[in-house]
Every structure is written in structure tokens, then in C-alpha cells.
Amino acid sequence: MKNKGKSLISGLRQFRWMFKLFDEYTFRIIAYALLIVTKTVLDLVLTYAVGNFVELIVCDNMLDLIHFVILFIVMFIIKLIVTYIANRVNVFNYTAMHKTLLLRLFDKTINADWESLEEHHSGDLLTRIGQDVKTVSGNINGLLPTILSDLACVVAAVAVVIYFDYSILIVLILVAPLVYFSTKAFAGKVLDYQRLGREAASEITLLNKETFHNMQAVKAFGLFDIFHAKMEVKAENLRQCDIKSNLMYMISWVITQGIGLIAVIISGAWMVYRVHTGYITVGNIASMAALAVSAASALANLFGLMPTLVECITSAERIREIIELPDEADLHITPKEQQILDSHTDSSMEIKVEDMSFHYHTGPNIFEKANLHAKSGEIVAMVGPSGEGKTTMLRIILGIVKAQEGLSDIEWADGDKLHMGPITRSLISYVPQGNTMMSGTIAENMRIIKPDATDEEIIAALETACAYDFVKKLPDGINHMIGEGGLGFSEGQNQRLAIARAVLRNTSILLLDEATSALDVVTERNVLKNLMKDDEHRICLLTTHRPSVLSMCNRVYRICDKKTEVIGDEDIRKLMNDF
């Protein structure tokens, strides 16, 4: 029982949070609610008029009947106008709120602390940005007005019935608690299964994403049966969650409908008795019956909203988890920091990592008292076994993660320095592992980095990355289309395009994370030569498992056992010979 109470309280808190989330749309939501309530009132008036119509027919008063019909038609036309306006307001509200929430969640995924965001897999994030955003923005505008209009219908109907015959109130007093407790008994279970269902949907999205991304491997290894079995398990899990959620709802619905039927039978029998005794007229009972039908329909609508309400609360919880993730530290630049950046646009600099210790939130130490130095005009390499921290070192330099101890700064010759973080990323171009090209033309991919880049600048960057030799042979040149995930180009070609994109940014620091792994040795060496020739003051920091270019480097760090160590020519030659 305590868990059910907690679920109900949690649901109310999420509902309140949802409305707070859309503070700027409060007036628009209220306006829509007023329109819906107005429409409901008009519906009730038209329904109540049925009793008057019966009375006029019985009295055979033709003039009053004609006046009544004219008034009825006018009211009906007004209702149509109000309904049209309400629907248009609903569409405008939904589309605006959907856009606002979509952008807010999307921006949060970009600005959130990297480690906190990594706790949510990509399939889950896609489900939240897509399905959950749509659910919340769609229902926050519609749920309250719908609930208010249905409640208004029920209250008005009850008020009229009581006005004609207050004794019927006894039936309502007996029925209301039974309906409330039957709903409350199962609401918590419905909410729990809705949460599990959304998690199951996220797992399906993730499996779809991973399957499509690795389609070549799936086909090459004949993995159809394995992936089919995985999807079958996840789809069955989602099906079971939906079935159990529906079962809890339907049990509650059956109980409520049964109670409602009993109430209708008792109320109907009582009203027949009151007509028979002359306490109320036939016209009165016609109006009461019509309003009772409207009230019953409104009650059914209210109860039918429970799965929608639960779904909306579940989605709100999931969106709230992402929105409340912490942002990256030091995301906003101070005037002093901006002044330092502006005054050193062409100055020599040095990357300094000294006595640095780092571990991820839930993991062991990756570095303990590690050191790394790289100066303008240098190529510095990091080598070592997989998983020892090479990519992590680049993340620290990028400020994606923050070391717990030690120094990690960028320092200029005049003594100015800035701590590595989001504010120093404007000095850095980065080529990560894997294929990072996006669907669109080559030129569009390049202009992601520099929107105002000319065709000549793009071609120059492609030449530096040894990519223009194959791009110029394409039918459309730099306007040739790239498929999703670099489809249509080899891994080596995609790597060179990614390097060209980084070069186009024209920064003082270039980080290459296994970015030349798919290139032949000659092309790899030519790319590095071009990078340094293109800007002799550039710092090029690279990670590699291939020692073929180590002889070109000013310094080579071996990363192993949580330490960094500069290795000499003899060790480099040994690595090259072993390779």
C-alpha cells in the first residue's frame, strides 16, 4: 500500500513539474482550457434542451417551439465555431511546445556532463528525445482541458439532477468512494508497467541502431538468427509489459463499470418511482436522463484517460532525468579568459599535463601522477596497449572529462595560461576513432566546421589531408553525396575526409585518435607532413597502434600501468621492427 501511495504522490509531482516546464505557455494552455470548457457548457445546454423540447411538444405550443428551434440552431453554430477555434489553438500549442521541449532535451544531451550522459545508452536517449518528448508535449496541452471539461460535465449534470431531485445525491455519495478506491488500487501497477515498457522500447531502439550500424558484419557472419532471437526477446518483453499494464487497467475498468451499472439501475428505478409519485415531470426526467448519459460518457472519458495520464507521467520522469543531468563544468567563458584567447591567436603555446591523476566516476584510476608535454611545431605520439588511457588523455585535453588531481593547462610564452576545458576547445581540432562522416555532400560535411568556408578553402583542406586526389575524380567533386555513416567511401577515404574537416577549422592544436589507422604507410606519413607544413606552429598530438610514423615525431609517450613515459630512439626502432 505504501508503494501505491508513493506512486500516486510521485505521479502528482511529475504532473506539477510538467506544467512548470512549460511556464511560458501557461496563458495559451489556459486559453485552450477555457475554449474546451466553453464547448462542454454548450454541449450541456444543448443536451439539457432536450427536456424543454419534450415539454414544448407535450404542451403543443408551436410559437415557442419555433423560437426554441431557432435558438437551438444558433447555439449549435456557436458550438461549431468554438470547436474549430479550440482545435486550431490545440495544434498551435502542441507544435510550439513540442519544438521547445525537443530543443531543450537535444541541447541538454550536447551540454550535459559527458560521464553522466554516458550512463544512458544511445537507444534510450533516442526514445526519450523522440517518443517521450512527443508524449509529454502532446498531453500537457490536452490533458488538463480535457479533464476540466469532463469534470465540468459531470459536476453540471450532478448539479441539475440534484436540483430536480436531491435524494439522488445519496446514490452518488455511496458510489464515488468505490470508484476512487478501485482506480487507486491499480494505478500504481499501471505506472510501474508503463515505466518498464518504456525501458523495453529503449532496448529495442538500441538493438535497431546497433544492427543497422553493423549491417555488413551481420550479413558477413550470417548472424540473422542471432539478431532475430535478440529482437524476439526484447519485443516479447515489451509485449508482456503492455499486456500487464492493460490487464491492470482493464480490471480497474471492469470494477468501475460494474459499480456504475449498479448506480444507474438504482438511480433509474428511483427516478421512475419519483415520476410515478408526481414529484418530477416527464420533461424533467428526459433532461436528467440526457445529462446522466453525458455525465456517464464524461466519467468514462476520465477513466479512459488513466493510461494516457500514466504514460505522460512516465515520459515526464524520463525527460526529467535527462534535463536534470549536470552540465559540463566551466561551460561559460569569463571576460578575462576570452581576453587571453583573443590576445594569443597566433602565439606559440604548450600543452602541460603534470602529476595528473584521473578515474571515471565508477571506475579505478586510469592515471596516477601522469605527465605529458607538447609544444607548438611538434608532433607528439602516444602508444601503448588498448585500454590503458590514450583516448582518455585526449578527452582530458579536450576538457570532456576533468582530472581529479594535478595540472592540465594550455600555457603561452608570456605566462598566460588556461585550464583545459570547454573554454579551450576553440583552440583544438579533433578527429576521433571511427567513422564520423554524416549524410550529405562532402562540402556540407566540411562546412559543419566552418559554415562560411569557400570551395577553394575546402579543396585546400582536402589536399592537406591527401583526400582531393580521389574527390576530384568523383562526378560531382566536393558536391558528391556521402551516405549515412560514410557509406560509399572506404574507411581510409572517410578518415582523410575527417582529417580535412579538422584542418578546415584552422586551429593551433590537432588531436588525432587512431585517425590514420586505415591509411597505407606512405599516405599516413604524407598526411602528417602536410599537417605540419600547413601550419608550422601547430601542435599535433596523436594516438596510434602503428609505429610506422613514430620516427617523424618529436616525442613519443608510452602509456602503460597508469603512467606516461617518454621512450627513446632505441625503443622506437624496436617498436617499428616488431611491427
Side-chain angles (χ1 to χ4, degrees), residues 1-14:
M1 185 64 70
K2 287 182 180 180
N3 288 337
K4 291 174 185 175
K6 286 180 180 178
S7 293
L8 183 61
I9 293 171
S10 174
L12 291 174
R13 285 175 178 168
Q14 295 303 332

Side-chain angles (χ1 to χ4, degrees), residues 302-529:
L302 282 171
F303 193 76
L305 286 174
M306 190 178 79
T308 303
L309 182 61
V310 170
E311 182 184 21
C312 188
I313 290 171
T314 303
S315 293
E317 287 179 339
R318 288 163 53 79
I319 288 173
R320 189 173 184 177
E321 285 179 5
I322 303 301
I323 286 178
E324 293 183 350
L325 288 176
D327 282 336
E328 286 188 291
D330 307 319
L331 195 59
H332 302 290
I333 190 167
T334 67
K336 181 179 179 181
E337 290 165 338
Q338 187 63 58
Q339 189 273 329
I340 291 174
L341 289 173
D342 292 341
S343 62
H344 295 95
T345 52
D346 297 315
S347 303
S348 296
M349 64 177 63
E350 182 177 4
I351 294 173
K352 282 188 175 182
V353 177
E354 296 177 351
D355 295 326
M356 183 269 292
S357 297
F358 173 80
H359 64 81
Y360 291 105
H361 289 169
T362 57
N365 277 359
I366 305 296
F367 291 110
E368 292 179 356
K369 304 294 183 182
N371 298 282
L372 184 142
H373 288 247
K375 297 179 180 180
S376 294
E378 290 185 338
I379 302 176
V380 176
M382 290 184 287
V383 298
S386 297
E388 290 292 325
K390 296 187 297 298
T391 297
T392 298
M393 180 64 81
L394 297 184
R395 288 175 183 158
I396 290 169
I397 293 171
L398 280 165
I400 291 175
V401 294
K402 189 174 182 179
Q404 285 80 25
E405 295 179 10
L407 178 73
S408 51
D409 291 341
I410 293 176
E411 187 172 327
W412 286 267
D414 61 3
D416 283 342
K417 61 183 177 181
L418 291 173
H419 186 69
M420 291 173 188
I423 61 172
T424 58
R425 287 180 197 156
S426 61
L427 304 171
I428 302 172
S429 291
Y430 174 51
V431 183
Q433 295 183 37
N435 192 341
T436 59
M437 303 311 292
M438 303 179 185
S439 57
T441 67
I442 294 173
E444 287 170 345
N445 268 268
M446 298 297 114
R447 290 191 174 107
I448 290 173
I449 296 295
K450 189 178 180 182
D452 60 348
T454 65
D455 289 355
E456 290 73 20
E457 289 175 315
I458 292 172
I459 291 171
L462 291 169
E463 288 175 338
T464 299
C466 298
Y468 194 58
D469 57 342
F470 70 83
V471 170
K472 66 183 179 182
K473 297 176 183 177
L474 298 171
D476 300 315
I478 63 172
N479 295 311
H480 188 80
M481 289 295 297
I482 301 175
E484 182 182 359
L487 185 66
F489 293 93
S490 69
E491 186 176 351
Q493 288 173 326
N494 276 306
Q495 281 188 340
R496 281 180 279 172
L497 290 173
I499 293 171
R501 186 170 57 190
V503 168
L504 188 62
R505 195 178 186 193
N506 192 29
T507 57
S508 302
I509 301 171
L510 178 61
L511 307 181
L512 305 176
D513 192 4
E514 300 286 352
T516 58
S517 59
L519 305 184
D520 61 84
V521 174
V522 173
T523 303
E524 182 180 33
R525 293 175 70 88
N526 286 337
V527 168
L528 289 177
K529 286 178 183 177

